[in-house]
Every structure is written in structure tokens, then in C-alpha cells.
Amino acid sequence: MTKCPHCFVTLGTQYAACCRNRCTVQHDERASLLHGSPVENPPIGRFSGPTPEWVPELPQCRECGGGLTECCPNCHMALPPDWRSGQATCIALAGARATGKSVYIGVLVKLLELFADAHDTTVEFADGASRQMYENVYEKPLFEARGIIAPTPRANLADSYQRQPIILSLGVLNGQRRYIVLRDVAGEDLENRVEGQAHLAFFEHASTVLFMFDPTRVSEVRNQLQDLIPAQLHEGGDPAVVLNNLNLLIGQGRPRLGVVLSKFDTMQTLTQVADTELSRIMSNAGAAFMRDPGTLMPGYDEGDGLLLNAEVRSLLQRLHANRIVTAVERPHTGQPFDHRFFVVSALGAPTRGESLHDHGIASFRCLDPIRWSLRCDGAI
Ligand SMILES: Nc1nc2c(ncn2[C@@H]2O[C@H](COP(=O)(O)OP(=O)(O)OP(=O)(O)O)[C@@H](O)[C@H]2O)c(=O)[nH]1
Ligand SMILES: [Zn+2]
Ligand SMILES: [Zn+2]
């Protein structure tokens, strides 16, 4: 069974199709609710299939004679061709404003090409919309203009793009066609009230939620880094509020939860600070958080992952983020998450104003959370 790449709901034996040719469209209440902005669709036809993986041969449209397109029975968005025969790992980014979610996605798509190389496959956009959005929103600002990505607009604004997932095909891995789907979110939407926000319901159904935590929000870190890194333009809200909202959104869902200490280059810069407790912790050259197993390594190194997990957990506690650790390990629902702690640095260095560092992008451990996720789904 796989998931819808838009709403992340698991696709069962309920099927739906509609005509996307010349047929008349009308306001679609359910699609609009889940999408977060008005959606118009032609009438949706429903039927059931023998198994969730069955790929139906759709008849011609009775109205206009055009071909029908399979769509999701829950959110009514179109499914890419033969979607059900593959297996999708659906990853939702979460975190306060300016924790590095969008930059991480921008860099990740490039790294996935190297990852695919290491697994004797290639990575491709599964549809034109994913490619176009990646190019315009992420690739151009980061890799062409060599600048930062504008803050992600709130989902209820007309120009917000994150309602559209990035769907990537990874070819065949472990005998099965695999996809990775990435959904960005505006930190601002997660800092505000989330009750009744149906367009954020995909968190409940995700395969993995990656919760980004920005260490430069911790005043002790910020103070020690004052003379070492340029002042940063954007600032986010309280991570504990966001994690609480995330818990509300996840509800009874059981996604895996990756807690990611982002912008980790800033923590590594603490080694340059003279003799503070934090600089001593960060100067431990043998620590897993100081070395990267490398982009070209195939698979996921569970031993390294567990070591890193333990180190990051204690680092978070040292950064007075106990509330984060407890919320993940002992959530109020009483059902602990399948979780793991990670570090990533997408850029490898702080930005100066609106520009990237002169040395360009040197990412660190960005593929770890994705490898973990794919390993849990049996892909690698
Ligand atoms: N030092 C360092 N800074 C980073 C890194 N990644 C992002 N940043 C900084 O963090 C800022 C915010 O990053 P974004 O990716 O736009 O943040 P976001 O979480 O998507 O924010 P919203 O869209 O508001 O939710 C960037 O403009 C960079 O200045 C990194 O790897 N290292
Ligand atoms: Zn859907
Ligand atoms: Zn038609």
C-alpha cells in the first residue's frame, strides 16, 4: 500500500477518477479544505478495486471523450501515472520560522542525486509541477542567485507554494518502485493556532515528520557566537510551542519523528570559542556529530545513527531543550513516537545578509534523516 503524495493518506481499495480535459469544473469543498485554498474539479467518479496496488485501466470520459485521470479518493488531487504500483515515503517538514526547512529541501534534492548514484539508480521529478516548483522556489534563489530563500508564506495566501508537494521518483530500490515526497510548511502556520486547520492534516498521515530545531535560538549559544557569525536576518518563534502544535496535528497518527538540530555548522563554530563548557563539548573530535559518513555511502549505518542519536539527545538537554526531548519521548497521548535525533547543516556556513557564504554550499549529514526513513520503509 502506498500514500497519496498530496494529503499523505494511505490509499486502500477505494478509487476515484475524474476528467481533466475539457469537462466543466466546479468548486470542490473537500479538496479546498484539505488544500488550504479554493480548488475547482470536474465531478469525481468513485469505484473500488480488488487490492490497493491495482492499477486501473480508466475508460474515456462520457462527457467529452477525453482520458480520465486517477485521483485521490480523500483529497481529489491527481495521482501520477501508475502511482499505486510504487511505494512512497512521505516526509513532512516542521519547525518554527527560520529553522532552515526550505533551505534543507533545496539542498536535499541535489544530494538525492548523489544518493541515487550510490544506489545505482537515478532521481527524477515525478511530475512537471514538482520540477517547476523546485526550480523556481528553491533552486534559483540558492544555486543561481546564491542567496537565501524568502520566508515561506502562510498557506492561506494566494502565492503560497508549499501546498504543492515535491514528488521524486527514485527508480527501483529493493525490488520495488520508490518515491520520496517532500512537503514544506510555513513556520508561521505552525507557530499559530492549528486547531481546525484541515490543510495541515497531512502531518497526521506522513511517513516521517522532521522537526527542525535551530540551536542559534538558544541564548547561551547565540551569546557565545556573537563575534563569530554575522547577525542573521530572520528569527523564529518558540520551538516548544511548535512541537505542541505538531502533537495536536498528528493526533492519533503514528508518523516517525526525526528531531533535527539544524544549522549545525553554527554549533561546530563553537570550537573556536575559548574554554566554555559548550566549546569543550563541541571540541570532542571523536564525536559522531563532528564527522559525516559521506554522501556516497549506500544504505543507512544503524550503529552510527544510534551513536549520533545519543549524542544529540544529550546535547539538546545541555541546550536546556529538555522539554523537547520529553515531549518526544513521553507525549501526552501516552503513545511514544518512533523517533530519532539528528544533526544537519544544509549550507555548511552562516549566510551574510541575503547572500550565501563565499565558499558556497558544503552540507553536512543532510541525508541521514532520509536514509533512516527509507530504511524503515524497507527501501535501502
Ligand atoms: N548557519 C546556517 N544557517 C542556515 C542554514 N540553513 C538555513 N540557514 C539560515 O536560516 C534562514 C532561514 O532558512 P529557511 O530555510 O528559509 O527557514 P524556514 O524554516 O523555511 O523558515 P519559514 O519559511 O519562515 O518557515 C536562512 O535564510 C539562512 O540564513 C544552515 O545550514 N546553516
Ligand atoms: Zn490525497
Ligand atoms: Zn471530459
Side-chain angles (χ1 to χ4, degrees), residues 9 19 31 58 70 73 80 91 123 205 238 326 330 340 342 345 347 358 364:
V9 158
C19 171
L58 295 169
E70 194 188 342
I91 299 176
V123 56
H205 304 287
D238 184 353
T326 311
R330 292 205 299 276
R340 192 157 286 197
F342 296 95
S345 165
L347 297 176
D358 296 340
F364 181 82

PDB file of all heavy atoms in Angstrom, residues 9 19 31 58 70 73 80 91 123 205 238 326 330 340 342 345 347 358 364:
ATOM      1  N   VAL A   9      -2.576  10.442   2.913  1.00  0.00           N
ATOM      2  CA  VAL A   9      -3.451   9.374   3.407  1.00  0.00           C
ATOM      3  C   VAL A   9      -3.112   8.060   2.696  1.00  0.00           C
ATOM      4  O   VAL A   9      -2.775   8.053   1.509  1.00  0.00           O
ATOM      5  CB  VAL A   9      -4.933   9.776   3.188  1.00  0.00           C
ATOM      6  CG1 VAL A   9      -5.854   8.571   3.174  1.00  0.00           C
ATOM      7  CG2 VAL A   9      -5.365  10.761   4.267  1.00  0.00           C
ATOM      8  N   CYS A  19     -12.163  13.651 -15.023  1.00  0.00           N
ATOM      9  CA  CYS A  19     -11.705  14.072 -16.348  1.00  0.00           C
ATOM     10  C   CYS A  19     -10.986  15.402 -16.218  1.00  0.00           C
ATOM     11  O   CYS A  19     -11.542  16.357 -15.680  1.00  0.00           O
ATOM     12  CB  CYS A  19     -12.913  14.222 -17.257  1.00  0.00           C
ATOM     13  SG  CYS A  19     -12.485  14.979 -18.822  1.00  0.00           S
ATOM     14  N   ALA A  31     -11.771  19.232  -1.385  1.00  0.00           N
ATOM     15  CA  ALA A  31     -10.415  19.485  -1.909  1.00  0.00           C
ATOM     16  C   ALA A  31      -9.916  20.844  -1.423  1.00  0.00           C
ATOM     17  O   ALA A  31      -8.747  20.984  -1.034  1.00  0.00           O
ATOM     18  CB  ALA A  31     -10.427  19.421  -3.429  1.00  0.00           C
ATOM     19  N   LEU A  58      -8.490   3.116 -17.073  1.00  0.00           N
ATOM     20  CA  LEU A  58      -9.639   4.016 -16.975  1.00  0.00           C
ATOM     21  C   LEU A  58     -10.308   4.196 -18.336  1.00  0.00           C
ATOM     22  O   LEU A  58      -9.627   4.320 -19.359  1.00  0.00           O
ATOM     23  CB  LEU A  58      -9.180   5.359 -16.417  1.00  0.00           C
ATOM     24  CG  LEU A  58      -8.666   5.277 -14.972  1.00  0.00           C
ATOM     25  CD1 LEU A  58      -7.977   6.568 -14.585  1.00  0.00           C
ATOM     26  CD2 LEU A  58      -9.816   4.995 -14.014  1.00  0.00           C
ATOM     27  N   GLU A  70      -6.680   9.175 -12.670  1.00  0.00           N
ATOM     28  CA  GLU A  70      -6.958   8.697 -11.322  1.00  0.00           C
ATOM     29  C   GLU A  70      -6.648   9.801 -10.325  1.00  0.00           C
ATOM     30  O   GLU A  70      -5.658  10.526 -10.474  1.00  0.00           O
ATOM     31  CB  GLU A  70      -6.118   7.449 -10.992  1.00  0.00           C
ATOM     32  CG  GLU A  70      -6.662   6.762  -9.742  1.00  0.00           C
ATOM     33  CD  GLU A  70      -5.797   5.639  -9.213  1.00  0.00           C
ATOM     34  OE1 GLU A  70      -4.933   5.113  -9.938  1.00  0.00           O
ATOM     35  OE2 GLU A  70      -5.994   5.310  -8.028  1.00  0.00           O
ATOM     36  N   PRO A  73      -8.987   9.469  -3.517  1.00  0.00           N
ATOM     37  CA  PRO A  73     -10.374   9.465  -3.039  1.00  0.00           C
ATOM     38  C   PRO A  73     -10.578  10.375  -1.824  1.00  0.00           C
ATOM     39  O   PRO A  73     -11.702  10.765  -1.532  1.00  0.00           O
ATOM     40  CB  PRO A  73     -10.629   7.999  -2.666  1.00  0.00           C
ATOM     41  CG  PRO A  73      -9.292   7.356  -2.576  1.00  0.00           C
ATOM     42  CD  PRO A  73      -8.342   8.161  -3.397  1.00  0.00           C
ATOM     43  N   PRO A  80       0.043  10.712  -9.840  1.00  0.00           N
ATOM     44  CA  PRO A  80       0.902  10.494 -11.009  1.00  0.00           C
ATOM     45  C   PRO A  80       0.612   9.111 -11.620  1.00  0.00           C
ATOM     46  O   PRO A  80       0.101   8.221 -10.923  1.00  0.00           O
ATOM     47  CB  PRO A  80       2.317  10.553 -10.428  1.00  0.00           C
ATOM     48  CG  PRO A  80       2.183  11.327  -9.158  1.00  0.00           C
ATOM     49  CD  PRO A  80       0.823  10.983  -8.622  1.00  0.00           C
ATOM     50  N   ILE A  91       7.434  12.668   3.459  1.00  0.00           N
ATOM     51  CA  ILE A  91       8.157  13.368   4.525  1.00  0.00           C
ATOM     52  C   ILE A  91       7.639  14.794   4.671  1.00  0.00           C
ATOM     53  O   ILE A  91       7.605  15.557   3.707  1.00  0.00           O
ATOM     54  CB  ILE A  91       9.667  13.361   4.219  1.00  0.00           C
ATOM     55  CG1 ILE A  91      10.124  11.896   4.155  1.00  0.00           C
ATOM     56  CG2 ILE A  91      10.450  14.164   5.254  1.00  0.00           C
ATOM     57  CD1 ILE A  91      11.557  11.711   3.774  1.00  0.00           C
ATOM     58  N   VAL A 123      17.436   9.871  -9.813  1.00  0.00           N
ATOM     59  CA  VAL A 123      16.280  10.515  -9.203  1.00  0.00           C
ATOM     60  C   VAL A 123      15.665  11.451 -10.238  1.00  0.00           C
ATOM     61  O   VAL A 123      16.379  12.147 -10.955  1.00  0.00           O
ATOM     62  CB  VAL A 123      16.663  11.217  -7.879  1.00  0.00           C
ATOM     63  CG1 VAL A 123      17.775  12.202  -8.058  1.00  0.00           C
ATOM     64  CG2 VAL A 123      15.468  11.907  -7.255  1.00  0.00           C
ATOM     65  N   HIS A 205      -0.703  11.915   8.686  1.00  0.00           N
ATOM     66  CA  HIS A 205      -0.588  10.751   7.809  1.00  0.00           C
ATOM     67  C   HIS A 205       0.808  10.549   7.233  1.00  0.00           C
ATOM     68  O   HIS A 205       1.034   9.616   6.468  1.00  0.00           O
ATOM     69  CB  HIS A 205      -1.603  10.885   6.672  1.00  0.00           C
ATOM     70  CG  HIS A 205      -3.006  11.066   7.167  1.00  0.00           C
ATOM     71  ND1 HIS A 205      -3.719  10.033   7.735  1.00  0.00           N
ATOM     72  CD2 HIS A 205      -3.809  12.162   7.229  1.00  0.00           C
ATOM     73  CE1 HIS A 205      -4.910  10.487   8.097  1.00  0.00           C
ATOM     74  NE2 HIS A 205      -4.984  11.776   7.813  1.00  0.00           N
ATOM     75  N   ASP A 238       9.036  30.112  19.355  1.00  0.00           N
ATOM     76  CA  ASP A 238       9.392  29.138  20.379  1.00  0.00           C
ATOM     77  C   ASP A 238       9.210  27.700  19.867  1.00  0.00           C
ATOM     78  O   ASP A 238       8.096  27.302  19.508  1.00  0.00           O
ATOM     79  CB  ASP A 238       8.474  29.396  21.591  1.00  0.00           C
ATOM     80  CG  ASP A 238       8.812  28.497  22.771  1.00  0.00           C
ATOM     81  OD1 ASP A 238       9.656  27.581  22.605  1.00  0.00           O
ATOM     82  OD2 ASP A 238       8.226  28.719  23.851  1.00  0.00           O
ATOM     83  N   THR A 326      11.540  15.523  26.234  1.00  0.00           N
ATOM     84  CA  THR A 326      10.437  14.879  26.959  1.00  0.00           C
ATOM     85  C   THR A 326       9.183  14.792  26.090  1.00  0.00           C
ATOM     86  O   THR A 326       8.500  13.768  26.076  1.00  0.00           O
ATOM     87  CB  THR A 326      10.116  15.663  28.246  1.00  0.00           C
ATOM     88  OG1 THR A 326      11.350  15.880  28.925  1.00  0.00           O
ATOM     89  CG2 THR A 326       9.180  14.898  29.152  1.00  0.00           C
ATOM     90  N   ARG A 330       7.925  11.213  25.840  1.00  0.00           N
ATOM     91  CA  ARG A 330       6.735  10.921  26.653  1.00  0.00           C
ATOM     92  C   ARG A 330       5.598  11.874  26.299  1.00  0.00           C
ATOM     93  O   ARG A 330       5.188  12.714  27.101  1.00  0.00           O
ATOM     94  CB  ARG A 330       7.094  11.061  28.144  1.00  0.00           C
ATOM     95  CG  ARG A 330       8.060   9.967  28.623  1.00  0.00           C
ATOM     96  CD  ARG A 330       7.926   9.738  30.115  1.00  0.00           C
ATOM     97  NE  ARG A 330       8.241  10.936  30.879  1.00  0.00           N
ATOM     98  CZ  ARG A 330       9.467  11.295  31.212  1.00  0.00           C
ATOM     99  NH1 ARG A 330      10.501  10.560  30.832  1.00  0.00           N
ATOM    100  NH2 ARG A 330       9.680  12.377  31.912  1.00  0.00           N
ATOM    101  N   ARG A 340      13.980   9.593  16.340  1.00  0.00           N
ATOM    102  CA  ARG A 340      15.442   9.596  16.344  1.00  0.00           C
ATOM    103  C   ARG A 340      15.939  11.034  16.246  1.00  0.00           C
ATOM    104  O   ARG A 340      15.307  11.875  15.616  1.00  0.00           O
ATOM    105  CB  ARG A 340      15.959   8.764  15.163  1.00  0.00           C
ATOM    106  CG  ARG A 340      17.442   8.474  15.268  1.00  0.00           C
ATOM    107  CD  ARG A 340      17.848   7.260  14.476  1.00  0.00           C
ATOM    108  NE  ARG A 340      17.424   6.015  15.112  1.00  0.00           N
ATOM    109  CZ  ARG A 340      17.934   4.820  14.784  1.00  0.00           C
ATOM    110  NH1 ARG A 340      18.854   4.720  13.859  1.00  0.00           N
ATOM    111  NH2 ARG A 340      17.513   3.724  15.387  1.00  0.00           N
ATOM    112  N   PHE A 342      18.813  13.867  15.099  1.00  0.00           N
ATOM    113  CA  PHE A 342      19.776  14.066  14.005  1.00  0.00           C
ATOM    114  C   PHE A 342      20.408  15.447  14.103  1.00  0.00           C
ATOM    115  O   PHE A 342      19.888  16.331  14.779  1.00  0.00           O
ATOM    116  CB  PHE A 342      19.056  14.001  12.653  1.00  0.00           C
ATOM    117  CG  PHE A 342      18.427  12.665  12.342  1.00  0.00           C
ATOM    118  CD1 PHE A 342      17.089  12.430  12.628  1.00  0.00           C
ATOM    119  CD2 PHE A 342      19.163  11.652  11.761  1.00  0.00           C
ATOM    120  CE1 PHE A 342      16.501  11.206  12.344  1.00  0.00           C
ATOM    121  CE2 PHE A 342      18.593  10.430  11.472  1.00  0.00           C
ATOM    122  CZ  PHE A 342      17.259  10.203  11.765  1.00  0.00           C
ATOM    123  N   SER A 345      23.519  20.300   8.594  1.00  0.00           N
ATOM    124  CA  SER A 345      23.816  21.655   8.173  1.00  0.00           C
ATOM    125  C   SER A 345      23.663  21.644   6.667  1.00  0.00           C
ATOM    126  O   SER A 345      24.405  20.963   5.970  1.00  0.00           O
ATOM    127  CB  SER A 345      25.243  22.058   8.570  1.00  0.00           C
ATOM    128  OG  SER A 345      25.598  23.218   7.849  1.00  0.00           O
ATOM    129  N   LEU A 347      23.770  24.343   4.604  1.00  0.00           N
ATOM    130  CA  LEU A 347      24.652  25.295   3.917  1.00  0.00           C
ATOM    131  C   LEU A 347      26.120  25.123   4.305  1.00  0.00           C
ATOM    132  O   LEU A 347      27.007  25.487   3.549  1.00  0.00           O
ATOM    133  CB  LEU A 347      24.209  26.726   4.229  1.00  0.00           C
ATOM    134  CG  LEU A 347      22.812  27.097   3.727  1.00  0.00           C
ATOM    135  CD1 LEU A 347      22.442  28.511   4.173  1.00  0.00           C
ATOM    136  CD2 LEU A 347      22.757  26.986   2.204  1.00  0.00           C
ATOM    137  N   ASP A 358      30.856  32.917   0.911  1.00  0.00           N
ATOM    138  CA  ASP A 358      31.708  32.895  -0.296  1.00  0.00           C
ATOM    139  C   ASP A 358      32.125  31.482  -0.693  1.00  0.00           C
ATOM    140  O   ASP A 358      32.323  31.192  -1.867  1.00  0.00           O
ATOM    141  CB  ASP A 358      32.993  33.699  -0.063  1.00  0.00           C
ATOM    142  CG  ASP A 358      32.683  35.161   0.165  1.00  0.00           C
ATOM    143  OD1 ASP A 358      31.576  35.567  -0.227  1.00  0.00           O
ATOM    144  OD2 ASP A 358      33.529  35.868   0.741  1.00  0.00           O
ATOM    145  N   PHE A 364      26.271  19.032   5.485  1.00  0.00           N
ATOM    146  CA  PHE A 364      26.767  18.096   6.492  1.00  0.00           C
ATOM    147  C   PHE A 364      25.621  17.218   6.979  1.00  0.00           C
ATOM    148  O   PHE A 364      24.605  17.741   7.452  1.00  0.00           O
ATOM    149  CB  PHE A 364      27.364  18.914   7.652  1.00  0.00           C
ATOM    150  CG  PHE A 364      27.951  18.099   8.774  1.00  0.00           C
ATOM    151  CD1 PHE A 364      29.239  17.575   8.682  1.00  0.00           C
ATOM    152  CD2 PHE A 364      27.217  17.870   9.932  1.00  0.00           C
ATOM    153  CE1 PHE A 364      29.779  16.844   9.729  1.00  0.00           C
ATOM    154  CE2 PHE A 364      27.753  17.140  10.982  1.00  0.00           C
ATOM    155  CZ  PHE A 364      29.037  16.617  10.879  1.00  0.00           C
TER     156      PHE A 364
END
